[in-house]
């Protein structure tokens, strides 16, 4: 009996998991027909989505009531609330035209549903539709981030008006904490419209945007009023908060990318302002930590739970230019439970980070001549192509390290030679050499490949070599072999660990002896500079006298 019950339960669950909901799709092709972009006799319109594996979609047919509206129903399986992605796709013979990105999406309903009428690429011929926006500013006023009595105002900016010069909202007659306003939105029904609320500060002229991601609504065919939301979706309480920033600029200083005499370091963000000074928080050199710049931002009205977003930037006052960190914004929040400083501010000390997250050794701290070498003996173009002919064929190197990045293969000036000149050791030995001078500040990570006769033919497109410059001034890369692509980022070979034993007056360093592996002394932690210790290549031990000085060592292989 227990087996029967278990079997019944399993069967019942399986039936539930495969149930499908009929969803009817509609699209008005009137504007596309009028523009001559859709032929009702020969063209086909269909829906493709994740429920069709994005190919082999199902065809829609035009309605008898309105011949420009095409409809079709598809059973879509999945749990209620599943996010379903789709697009409308037009076919004209072999020509397939997809709607533009992003994908459309719906939340899978529990029952049969007919979706609103969409327009291809959201292009339509109707008039703009009124949309009323509402935002509760009570929390922002309590924190002092929004002070209408001083001239502050809140507005909406969005994709429907180019994200600039938004329209101002006014206090509601029924609730003065709620600011509202109506805009004429030109997007077609069914379109996803993105927007944000923005505080304009009268005292500083700062424009304080809501945090990412953007808000969004789906345009309807009739006027609509959007629900009331809180600015930044934050309903916490204001607290006194202090945030201490510390940015290590030593790598950029060493690479010549930050001039301590003419340039400045700032924090910019949603609380201190994203624009050029006087917005932002300037950081200053820390006397006790060379290369580190610090300062503390204090506010009496930080809302608990409210996201503080920021980035460090290099500001050049003479040129009025900004160098931003890459990647997404950094962020933090206050809970109101942090320890307080002597002045009663909840304190957060952000750990020191390298500007742009560039680690020591990543950028060259001096101009460096890099020697590339490739063994062309037995080289063959492609899998079954002709063999390399040293009499008639040429070979050159291309890569992201060149000025402006990868260059057209048929116009490269980085031609390699096998004639005993320009760094080539031995003429006629099949090893081709080319030297490239990289400026101070260039990346030590090299992405490159070779090509024969001005073509990208060493490996498939996108399959590149990755190596690192290990020494500055002059560095010869390990010998490459044609078509043997090496990616040092993905090397899994372990060259061992260093073990240190100390005795009276002497330190013994031991490691596993391997061909090519040598011990290096790190001479500058800030830049990652290291020098080979003579006589250690292929060995496994090294003795050094203790001198009361700190020393740093590592194993290395070219």
């Amino acid at each position: 009996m227990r087996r029967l019950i278990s079997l019944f339960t399993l069967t019942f669950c399986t039936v539930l998991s495969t149930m499908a909901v009929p969803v009817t799709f509609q699209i008005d092709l009137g504007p596309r027909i009028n523009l001559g972009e859709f032929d009702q006799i020969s063209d086909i319109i269909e829906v493709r989505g994740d429920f069709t594996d994005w190919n082999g979609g199902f065809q829609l047919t035009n309605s008898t009531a309105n011949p420009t509206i095409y409809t079709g129903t598809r059973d879509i399986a999945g749990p209620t609330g599943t996010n379903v992605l789709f697009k409308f796709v037009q076919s004209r013979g072999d020509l397939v035209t997809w709607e533009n990105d992003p994908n459309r999406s719906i939340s899978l309903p529990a029952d049969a549903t007919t979706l609103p009428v969409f327009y291809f690429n959201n292009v339509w011929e109707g008039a703009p539709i009124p949309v009323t926006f509402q935002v509760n500013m009570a929390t922002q006023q309590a924190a002092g981030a929004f002070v209408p009595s001083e001239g502050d105002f809140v507005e909406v900016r969005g994709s429907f008006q180019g994200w600039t010069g938004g329209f101002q909202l006014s206090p509601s007659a029924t609730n003065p904490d709620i600011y509202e306003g109506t805009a004429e939105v030109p997007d077609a029904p069914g379109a996803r419209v993105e927007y944000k609320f923005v505080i304009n500060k009268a005292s500083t002229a700062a424009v304080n945007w809501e945090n990412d991601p953007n808000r969004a609504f789906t345009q309807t065919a009739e006027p609509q009023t959007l629900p009331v939301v809180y600015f930044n979706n934050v309903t916490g309480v204001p607290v006194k908060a202090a945030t201490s920033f510390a940015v290590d600029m030593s790598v950029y200083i060493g690479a010549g990318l930050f001039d301590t005499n003419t340039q400045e370091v700032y924090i910019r963000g949603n609380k201190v302002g994203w624009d050029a000074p006087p917005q932002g928080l300037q950081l200053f050199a820390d006397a006790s930590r060379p290369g580190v710049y610090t300062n503390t931002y204090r506010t009496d009205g930080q809302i608990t739970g409210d996201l503080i977003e920021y980035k460090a930037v290099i500001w050049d006052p003479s040129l009025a230019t900004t160098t931003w960190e890459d990647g997404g914004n950094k962020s933090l929040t206050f809970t109101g439970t942090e320890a307080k400083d002597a002045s009663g501010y909840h304190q957060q000390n952000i750990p020191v980070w390298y500007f742009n997250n560039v680690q020591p050794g990543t950028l060259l701290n001096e101009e460096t001549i890099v020697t590339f070498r490739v063994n062309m003996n037995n080289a063959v173009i492609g899998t079954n192509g002709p063999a390399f002919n040293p009499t008639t064929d040429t070979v050159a190197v291309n890569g992201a390290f060149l000025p402006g990045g990868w260059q057209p293969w048929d116009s490269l000036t980085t031609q390699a030679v096998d004639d005993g000149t320009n760094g080539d050791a031995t003429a006629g030995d099949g090893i081709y050499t080319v030297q490239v001078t990289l400026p101070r500040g260039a990346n030590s990570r090299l992405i490159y490949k070779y090509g024969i006769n001005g073509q990208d033919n060493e490996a498939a497109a996108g399959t590149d070599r990755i190596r690192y410059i290990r020494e500055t001034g002059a560095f010869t890369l390990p010998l490459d072999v044609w078509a043997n692509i090496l990616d040092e980022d993905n090397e899994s070979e372990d060259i061992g660990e260093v073990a240190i034993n100390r005795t009276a007056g002497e330190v013994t360093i031991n490691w596993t002896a391997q061909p090519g592996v040598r011990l290096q002394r790190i001479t500058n932690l800030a830049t990652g500079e290291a020098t080979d210790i003579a006589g250690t290549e292929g060995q496994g031990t090294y003795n050094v006298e203790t001198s009361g000085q700190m020393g740093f060592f590592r194993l290395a292989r070219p």
Side-chain angles (χ1 to χ4, degrees):
M1 179 63 68
R2 290 180 180 175
R3 291 181 181 176
L4 290 176
I5 292 174
S6 298
L7 179 60
F8 175 80
T9 303
L10 174 62
T11 304
F12 181 68
C13 291
T14 302
V15 171
L16 282 179
S17 66
T18 57
M19 290 181 63
V21 179
V23 178
T24 299
F25 295 82
Q26 305 182 93
I27 184 170
D28 191 337
L29 292 173
R32 200 161 179 82
I33 293 169
N34 293 337
L35 292 170
E37 296 174 345
F38 185 84
D39 188 324
Q40 291 187 277
I41 298 176
S42 60
D43 292 351
I44 294 173
I45 190 74
E46 61 182 5
V47 175
R48 300 186 187 183
D50 47 16
F51 52 90
T52 69
D53 291 329
W54 293 102
N55 55 43
F58 68 96
Q59 185 175 341
L60 308 183
T61 57
N62 55 337
S63 164
T64 54
N66 187 336
T68 68
I69 296 180
Y70 285 66
T71 66
T73 301
R74 176 67 178 246
D75 289 343
I76 301 178
T80 300
T82 299
N83 189 43
V84 178
L85 303 177
F86 69 97
K87 279 185 178 180
F88 294 99
V89 181
Q90 176 182 325
S91 297
R92 175 175 293 180
D94 294 332
L95 178 64
V96 177
T97 303
W98 292 71
E99 285 193 289
N100 299 330
D101 288 333
N103 298 324
R104 298 185 185 274
S105 67
I106 59 168
S107 178
L108 188 63
D111 302 308
T113 298
T114 297
L115 301 179
V117 176
F118 297 97
Y119 291 82
F120 197 91
N121 276 340
N122 298 322
V123 175
W124 78 316
E125 299 166 331
I129 300 170
V131 176
T132 299
F133 298 82
Q134 304 179 95
V135 60
N136 193 316
M137 300 299 294
T139 307
Q140 301 297 320
Q141 291 189 68
F146 177 62
V147 188
S149 61
E150 295 180 358
D152 294 354
F153 63 93
V154 62
E155 61 180 3
V156 175
R157 298 187 183 184
S159 58
F160 59 93
Q161 47 77 249
W163 293 103
T164 59
F167 69 96
Q168 187 171 340
L169 306 182
S170 302
S172 166
T174 58
N175 184 345
D177 289 335
I178 296 176
Y179 283 68
E180 60 186 12
T182 301
E184 300 288 329
V185 178
D187 298 68
R192 173 185 168 88
V193 183
E194 297 189 345
Y195 69 99
K196 279 185 177 180
F197 294 103
V198 179
I199 293 175
N200 290 262
K201 295 292 294 179
S203 59
T204 62
V207 177
N208 296 335
W209 295 72
E210 287 191 288
N211 301 329
D212 290 332
N214 297 331
R215 298 184 184 273
F217 67 89
T218 300
Q219 179 75 307
T220 59
E222 303 295 331
Q224 63 176 314
T225 298
L226 303 180
V228 176
V229 295
Y230 279 83
F231 191 93
N232 262 343
N233 298 322
V234 173
T235 58
V237 297
V239 296
K240 297 173 66 175
T243 308
S244 294
F245 299 93
V247 182
D248 193 327
M249 301 298 298
S250 58
V251 177
Y252 266 63
I253 293 171
L257 300 178
F258 176 68
D259 188 328
T260 59
N261 296 315
T262 62
Q263 295 177 312
E264 300 167 348
V265 184
Y266 273 82
I267 294 295
R268 294 190 190 172
N270 60 345
K271 303 306 177 186
V272 297
W274 290 106
D275 293 330
Q279 293 192 33
L281 173 73
Q282 185 175 359
L283 307 186
F284 300 95
D286 187 328
S288 63
R289 292 180 289 179
V292 176
Y293 284 67
T294 65
N295 201 353
T296 298
Y297 168 68
R298 287 182 170 84
T299 175
D300 292 345
Q302 176 59 41
I303 304 170
T304 56
D306 190 13
L307 197 66
I308 299 174
E309 294 187 306
Y310 62 94
K311 277 187 176 182
V313 304
I314 296 174
W315 169 247
D316 191 319
S318 61
L319 300 177
T321 57
T322 300
T323 301
W324 291 85
E325 291 189 286
D326 298 328
N329 299 331
K330 297 176 173 64
S331 64
L332 63 94
T333 59
F334 278 83
T335 64
T337 61
E338 296 83 5
K340 295 181 180 180
D341 64 14
S343 300
Y345 287 80
H346 294 271
Q347 178 74 41
Q348 285 202 44
N349 299 313
I350 301 174
V352 179
W353 78 92
Y354 287 102
F355 184 82
N356 212 17
N357 296 320
V358 176
Q359 302 298 311
T362 301
L363 304 177
L364 303 182
N365 57 15
E366 63 176 322
E367 183 179 86
T368 300
I369 300 173
V370 181
T371 301
F372 296 80
R373 300 175 300 150
V374 58
N375 189 336
M376 298 301 294
N377 291 300
N378 303 314
V380 176
I381 302 175
T383 305
N384 300 306
F388 176 76
N389 186 338
T391 303
T392 59
D393 294 337
T394 61
V395 60
V397 67
N398 200 352
F401 63 89
L402 294 172
W406 292 84
Q407 301 296 307
W409 282 92
D410 58 359
S411 60
L412 285 171
T413 59
T414 49
Q415 299 292 324
V417 296
D418 183 21
D419 59 4
T421 67
N422 298 315
D424 184 56
T426 305
D429 63 353
I431 296 176
Y432 282 70
T433 304
V434 58
Q435 292 184 322
V436 178
T437 300
L438 298 184
R440 179 186 181 192
N443 202 312
S444 65
R445 182 173 183 263
L446 299 176
I447 304 175
Y448 68 100
K449 70 196 306 186
Y450 300 97
I452 295 174
N453 297 332
Q455 297 183 46
D456 182 3
N457 49 18
E458 184 184 23
T463 302
D464 306 316
R465 301 176 186 276
I466 298 179
R467 285 195 183 274
Y468 286 81
I469 300 171
R470 306 295 182 183
E471 298 174 5
T472 59
F475 183 70
T476 299
L477 293 172
L479 179 64
D480 289 319
V481 177
W482 171 264
N484 183 13
I485 304 299
L486 178 67
D487 179 353
E488 290 188 1
D489 284 350
N490 294 318
E491 283 190 308
S492 58
E493 182 182 7
D494 185 2
I495 62 175
E497 297 181 353
V498 173
I500 300 178
N501 297 301
R502 181 173 181 175
T503 58
E506 190 175 66
V507 171
T508 301
I509 303 173
N510 296 300
W511 66 95
T512 302
Q514 299 178 62
V517 174
R518 77 285 305 271
L519 187 68
Q520 291 185 334
R521 185 191 302 272
I522 300 176
T523 55
N524 189 330
L525 277 179
T527 63
E529 291 182 13
T531 58
D532 290 343
I533 297 177
T536 62
E537 182 172 340
Q539 303 301 308
T541 186
Y542 176 71
N543 295 323
V544 57
E545 292 183 0
T546 57
S547 60
Q549 299 296 319
M550 185 177 295
F552 300 90
F553 300 86
R554 71 182 184 188
L555 295 180
R557 169 181 283 159

